[in-house]
Amino acid sequence: MTILVIAEHENGAVAPATLNTVAAAAKIGGDIAVLVAGQNVGGVAEAAAKIAGVAKVLVADNAAYAHQLPENVAPLVAELGKGYSHVLAPATSNGKNILPRVAALLDVDQISEIISVESADTFKRPIYAGNAIATVQSNAAVKVITVRATGFDAVAAEGGSASVETVAAAHDAGKSSFVGEELAKSDRPELTAAKIVVSGGRGMQNGDNFKHLYALADKLGAAVGASRAAVDAGFVPHDMQVGQTGKIVAPQLYIAVGISGAIQHLAGMKDSKVIVAINKDEEAPIFQVADYGLVADLFEAVPELEKLV
Ligand SMILES: Cc1cc2nc3c(=O)[nH]c(=O)nc-3n(C[C@H](O)[C@H](O)[C@H](O)COP(=O)(O)OP(=O)(O)OC[C@H]3O[C@@H](n4cnc5c(N)ncnc54)[C@H](O)[C@@H]3O)c2cc1C
């Protein structure tokens, strides 16, 4: 077995989801190569070479890959992927942007968001917003797979000593160009990587009231998330949404505040190690998944909790 993992990287560093994806590759077994595609990514390649269990790093350093445009990266991955039994990428926005194109170019089915590896050709993945787990067996010559990071414990970022090879191929499809980006800046940890997440729902009533959650989160070193209702109401930006159509998180501690616990929200956080729910309605479904539930008015409970931290 030979496995190609597409590295997710940003700001010159390997993104944590890459380490979970390498962990999934290690479960499949075989030689693991990591592709670093981008521009001026020498430092990323060096860091990728240190990831435990990685045998080889392929570096495609070219202006065509500067902003990870999927139209350009996908043909590169498809070309390289032909020589591998598996191509894996994290099920992040980037990975989900690139891999379906790769699967189409290789004329195989994609296996999406696996949460476990049963064998080299059999995988488990959630369906129906996580209410059922499908076991999928594939006989594709190249198995193209996105990996749900929360399903696999990250391998160590250090300890490996992979060889580094340069890939000359430059695919510029000429179909898209990078115009600009607006990056959300926050001193708080990134939602999907945070050990503690405090999320607010429609019960917060407005965006200003999220200050109670920010104050609590800052004391806990936590990230702040939200339900879709809170996001759709404009309380907070969309990149804070947790759930089926938002981000999937599995922190050590998830505190759901004024969130009812709709299945689409649970799909994004129910694998959290410890779940705490604060809701004034004791019948709220969130209490069915919560390890600790507090039936209370959040506007009293959250400031009190913050004072105690
Ligand atoms: C295709 C699809 C995809 C979706 N994807 C997502 C997704 O990714 N993420 C997501 O979150 N949702 C998603 N949804 C929406 C989901 O179905 C729910 O509508 C949403 O999660 C509800 O958000 P909420 O719990 O904040 O609001 P509500 O269901 O309105 O719950 C608000 C809660 O706050 C409590 N509350 C109110 N005031 C207080 C107070 N003062 N103190 C304490 N508690 C209080 C109430 O008791 C209530 O339980 C999706 C829906 C669809 C159809």
Side-chain angles (χ1 to χ4, degrees):
M1 234 87 60
T2 50
I3 305 161
L4 180 64
V5 171
I6 316 306
E8 173 108 0
H9 57 91
E10 54 207 5
N11 305 324
V14 173
T18 307
L19 304 178
N20 306 88
T21 308
V22 171
K27 288 243 161 90
I28 294 169
D31 280 346
I32 302 173
V34 170
L35 170 67
V36 176
Q39 190 178 27
N40 301 327
V41 285
V44 180
E46 263 175 46
K50 291 187 190 145
I51 298 174
V54 174
K56 185 161 68 174
V57 173
L58 302 173
V59 200
D61 201 328
N62 194 286
Y65 309 128
H67 298 284
Q68 307 274 309
L69 294 179
E71 292 83 358
N72 296 353
V73 177
L76 169 74
V77 176
E79 186 180 283
L80 296 171
K82 278 184 200 141
Y84 289 84
S85 58
H86 300 70
V87 175
L88 270 59
T92 54
S93 302
N94 246 351
K96 291 195 272 192
N97 215 353
I98 294 168
L99 273 219
R101 298 165 199 264
V102 173
L105 290 166
L106 292 174
D107 198 19
V108 296
D109 300 319
Q110 176 176 291
I111 306 159
S112 300
E113 303 223 12
I114 63 163
I115 53 168
S116 88
V117 172
E118 303 300 297
S119 70
D121 67 358
T122 307
F123 312 92
K124 289 199 167 169
R125 59 177 298 262
I127 55 172
Y128 303 123
N131 284 306
I133 305 296
T135 303
V136 182
Q137 189 169 32
S138 164
N139 60 6
V142 182
K143 291 164 189 55
V144 174
I145 300 170
T146 58
V147 175
R148 187 174 280 193
T150 54
F152 299 88
D153 289 335
V155 296
E158 302 276 339
S161 56
S163 60
V164 179
E165 262 177 41
T166 305
V167 178
H171 292 272
D172 189 349
K175 290 181 183 157
S176 58
S177 58
F178 179 77
V179 176
E181 64 190 352
E182 278 177 41
L183 295 176
K185 288 210 174 68
S186 169
D187 292 337
R188 295 186 189 95
E190 207 274 313
L191 202 47
T192 55
K195 292 199 165 56
I196 304 177
V197 174
V198 181
S199 279
R202 200 189 322 254
M204 298 305 298
Q205 291 179 4
N206 57 47
D208 191 42
N209 285 336
F210 265 73
K211 64 180 183 235
H212 299 297
L213 301 191
Y214 295 135
L216 177 62
D218 288 345
K219 283 204 171 165
L220 293 170
V224 178
S227 71
R228 179 158 157 183
V231 163
D232 283 351
F235 299 174
V236 288
H238 278 92
D239 64 355
M240 287 171 64
Q241 184 182 320
V242 171
Q244 184 189 341
T245 45
K247 291 185 175 157
I248 309 285
V249 301
Q252 299 292 328
L253 172 62
Y254 188 88
I255 306 178
V257 182
I259 293 178
S260 60
I263 51 165
Q264 295 91 351
H265 187 79
L266 302 185
M269 45 62 75
K270 69 173 160 34
D271 291 332
S272 305
K273 302 281 178 297
V274 175
I275 298 173
V276 173
I278 302 174
N279 198 303
K280 67 178 182 186
D281 173 12
E282 63 180 48
E283 301 290 328
I286 191 76
F287 289 126
Q288 287 166 21
V289 296
D291 299 285
Y292 300 94
L294 182 61
V295 179
D297 187 317
L298 71 91
F299 296 106
E300 286 167 20
V302 174
E304 246 175 77
L305 195 61
E306 191 231 312
K307 270 189 231 144
L308 292 173
V309 177

